[in-house]
Amino acid sequence: MPMKHLFATLALAAATAQAAEPVKINIQADQPGPVIARQIYGQFGEHLGAGIYEGLWVGTDSKIPNVRGWRTDVVTALKALKVPVLRWPGGCFADEYHWRDGIGPQAQRPPRVNTSWGGVIEPNSVGTHEFMDLADQLGTEVYINANLGSGTVAEMAQWLEYLTAEGDTALARERRANGRDKPWRIQYWGIGNESWGCGGHMKPSYYADQYKQWATFAKAPRGNRPKLVASGGQELELHWTETLSAEIKDRMAAITHHQYSLPTRDWKKKGSAVNFPESEWISTLAVPQTIDGYLAKHREILDRNDPAKKVAIYFDEWGSWYDPEPGTDPGFLVQRNTLRDAVLSALHFHVFHRHADRVKMANIAQMVNVLQAVVITDKERMVLTPTYHAFAMHLPFMDATSLPVQLSGVPDYTLGKYSIPALSASAAKAADGKLILSLSNTNPNQPLPLQLAVGGKGVRAVSGQLLTAATMDAQNWYDAPDRVKPQPFKAEAKGGVLALNVPAKSVLVLEVQP
């Protein structure tokens, strides 16, 4: 957003806010809650469209600068996000992926048809060794989804041995022959994906039996045993959480949950990513409030069946899902990314923070070029999306200790059948001891005046970053890569009171100085 437009926006916010009663925010810094796991800010990369090939992988012979085939510009941008965990190879693709197709000399790997996404050829140029190299370049933990849908338990067990074997076994020798001497560290191991749907259309009781069998043979050396993850349901499919948490008593670190944000709630006509009406702005931003309620119900079941809280929720697919970009392959899930997506991200983060005692991982779908991507590319060109900036602004919340926030006087933002709070907030004590606050004004038309306190006492000053734009669907593109970009924000107390204005349609992340 150009600075002159930003200043005009802030001036309008200040003028409009003078007539409104301020929202009062009190951060209860003396009542620390659970730690916000850094894995909540995880990413997801699936073999889907240009999510892996072109978006990340260009091959060693490409003119695009790369390190062992992974394009340097995208990896550098992702490293700045400190990606805590990366999920791979899917998604629906995971349950048709056979790991042996992706090892050995690339020229000799068998091409397959990607039946899940577009019916295109999967060359298997990116396999186990390449993915683990990407994870190493990013400095991230890995979350691998094993193929329960069309694979076998023996295939899964051998893949895990190939990855982690330390001794002189046949699979360890094969790994070394393919260029990797030492075993890799594998942090998370998913057994199937969306087993209620594309992963096999199973009933939860059948899947629970399958999980127990597969978990029995998911063996790795002591000290390098990944956390095992069960495929859960979506939305209000409480029977999946009920069945899994009741029937699986051992070796289940987490149950997954998936939910996407569709403006229309209609999978046949989801809504446009740009040039959308305000009615689809509010309907999209209403989804995190629904997720908040759903998570509360899933937690009730887990609290009953798992009072020791050994089983976490991994919200490993979330994000916006719109109609595909006109002129693109519908199976590639290409969509534009706007300010709406950045606000949507902040609202999701706030929900995950509120449920931090159970939600220990979340993975946006997806990392590059697919759905709510943080990076988009076109051949040698690259753009950072508004969603990217939302992630970057929230870096201080990784491993922070959540703090309760008291809000009073928050108006509703209402349009048609939807009504949501005009302000969403989340506070924490960062790992470095700083007090941090994330705010989002969901109303695209009205700024919000605030009065801020900590423990009921005044605040001296705040400083941080503001993300907003002139229009709801403002986007970064190759001809204007910085149209939606964070700008510095500061405010100081006057007369012992710290008052500030949160512009319409914005995300604001602050360091608070009590």
Side-chain angles (χ1 to χ4, degrees):
M1 183 179 192
M3 290 299 293
K4 63 178 182 180
H5 292 163
L6 175 64
F7 291 146
T9 299
L10 295 178
L12 176 63
T16 307
Q18 290 176 356
E21 285 295 321
V23 174
K24 294 183 178 180
I25 300 181
N26 182 30
I27 302 172
Q28 297 174 297
D30 61 343
Q31 299 180 34
V35 170
I36 299 167
R38 66 189 298 106
Q39 290 81 6
I40 280 175
Y41 291 90
Q43 298 284 337
F44 173 33
E46 183 170 4
H47 289 235
L48 195 173
I52 297 293
Y53 300 108
E54 183 194 311
L56 275 159
W57 175 265
V58 292
T60 55
D61 296 332
S62 175
K63 294 181 180 179
I64 298 174
N66 67 87
V67 176
R68 294 181 296 278
W70 297 107
R71 55 187 295 168
T72 305
D73 55 353
V74 176
V75 170
T76 300
L78 294 171
K79 285 178 68 174
L81 290 184
K82 300 181 180 179
V83 176
V85 59
L86 178 56
R87 181 174 178 239
W88 174 85
C92 293
F93 180 81
D95 279 301
E96 64 176 53
Y97 180 68
H98 299 279
W99 69 274
R100 282 199 164 276
D101 290 346
I103 62 172
Q106 289 179 336
Q108 298 177 21
R109 297 179 188 178
R112 306 289 187 190
V113 177
N114 187 335
T115 62
S116 291
W117 302 114
V120 297
I121 294 297
E122 164 59 54
N124 282 306
S125 303
V126 172
T128 297
H129 289 255
E130 290 78 19
F131 169 72
M132 295 305 296
D133 181 44
L134 172 63
D136 184 62
Q137 291 187 38
L138 293 175
T140 184
E141 294 181 335
V142 298
Y143 173 14
I144 292 178
N145 260 108
N147 179 357
L148 174 67
S150 65
T152 68
V153 66
E155 181 184 13
M156 179 273 300
Q158 289 168 7
W159 192 12
L160 190 53
E161 181 184 345
Y162 182 90
L163 287 159
T164 63
E166 298 172 345
D168 190 29
T169 70
L171 286 167
R173 289 179 182 178
E174 187 175 9
R175 184 191 68 228
R176 294 184 185 109
N178 287 330
R180 174 72 181 192
D181 181 22
K182 296 182 179 179
W184 288 288
R185 290 198 62 81
I186 308 299
Q187 287 81 18
Y188 309 95
W189 192 257
I191 297 179
N193 164 77
E194 291 190 0
S195 298
W196 45 266
C198 65
H201 293 281
M202 303 176 189
K203 295 180 179 179
S205 57
Y206 177 78
Y207 171 78
D209 288 340
Q210 291 286 293
Y211 178 92
K212 286 183 284 188
Q213 179 189 5
W214 283 54
T216 301
F217 296 98
K219 298 177 180 180
R222 188 180 301 276
N224 193 13
R225 295 173 182 170
K227 293 181 178 180
L228 301 185
V229 184
S231 174
Q234 61 177 342
E235 299 185 350
L236 269 182
E237 291 180 340
L238 301 177
H239 57 297
W240 275 86
T241 301
E242 181 72 65
T243 300
L244 299 184
S245 60
E247 294 190 12
I248 303 172
K249 297 300 184 182
D250 299 308
R251 302 203 66 195
M252 181 175 66
I255 299 172
T256 68
H257 190 85
H258 294 177
Q259 187 164 348
Y260 288 93
S261 301
L262 282 65
T264 65
R265 311 298 192 268
D266 182 353
W267 284 97
K268 294 181 180 179
K269 183 65 176 177
K270 295 177 280 293
S272 176
V274 293
N275 299 320
F276 50 83
E278 186 179 342
S279 61
E280 292 186 5
W281 164 278
I282 190 173
S283 65
T284 305
L285 299 188
V287 174
Q289 183 173 255
T290 302
I291 289 174
D292 199 3
Y294 288 172
L295 281 175
K297 293 183 180 298
H298 286 277
R299 286 181 57 190
E300 289 176 5
I301 295 170
L302 289 176
D303 288 346
R304 183 177 69 252
N305 293 342
D306 175 44
K309 295 190 176 182
K310 295 181 179 180
V311 178
I313 295 173
Y314 289 174
F315 213 113
D316 61 7
E317 287 188 32
W318 67 269
S320 58
W321 197 322
Y322 310 127
D323 293 332
E325 179 74 4
T328 66
D329 188 321
F332 288 2
L333 306 187
V334 178
Q335 64 183 41
R336 299 289 182 110
N337 195 288
T338 71
L339 177 65
R340 174 175 62 172
D341 298 291
V343 175
L344 181 69
S345 298
L347 298 181
H348 275 86
F349 298 153
H350 295 176
V351 170
F352 298 151
H353 295 174
R354 283 194 287 275
H355 297 276
D357 60 335
R358 281 286 186 186
V359 178
K360 299 298 183 182
M361 185 193 294
N363 308 77
I364 190 169
Q366 294 183 11
M367 189 160 63
V368 182
N369 287 336
V370 175
L371 296 177
Q372 194 180 340
V374 300
V375 175
I376 55 175
T377 67
D378 177 26
K379 299 180 176 61
E380 74 283 353
R381 300 186 296 176
M382 180 194 76
V383 172
L384 306 180
T385 69
T387 295
Y388 178 97
H389 294 304
F391 269 81
M393 291 169 67
H394 285 83
L395 281 171
F397 282 88
M398 289 186 179
D399 295 328
T401 301
S402 59
L403 298 172
V405 177
Q406 288 181 330
L407 298 174
S408 60
V410 178
D412 288 333
Y413 164 46
T414 302
L415 184 65
K417 65 179 181 180
Y418 292 101
S419 183
I420 61 176
L423 181 73
S424 178
S426 182
K429 183 178 181 181
D432 62 4
K434 295 177 180 177
L435 189 61
I436 50 178
L437 175 66
S438 172
L439 301 168
S440 183
N441 183 351
T442 62
N443 191 317
N445 306 307
Q446 296 293 328
L448 274 175
L450 306 180
Q451 286 186 3
L452 182 59
V454 176
K457 299 180 180 179
V459 172
R460 292 187 292 114
V462 295
S463 60
Q465 292 183 308
L466 169 68
L467 188 68
T468 187
T471 62
M472 294 183 295
D473 64 347
Q475 61 178 307
N476 296 331
W477 204 241
Y478 302 109
D479 59 348
D482 295 326
R483 184 177 286 122
V484 186
K485 187 176 181 180
Q487 302 292 341
F489 185 97
K490 291 184 178 180
E492 296 182 355
K494 294 181 180 179
V497 176
L498 193 144
L500 57 91
N501 295 312
V502 183
K505 58 184 182 308
S506 67
V507 178
L508 186 59
V509 177
L510 302 170
E511 177 187 338
V512 179
Q513 300 173 28

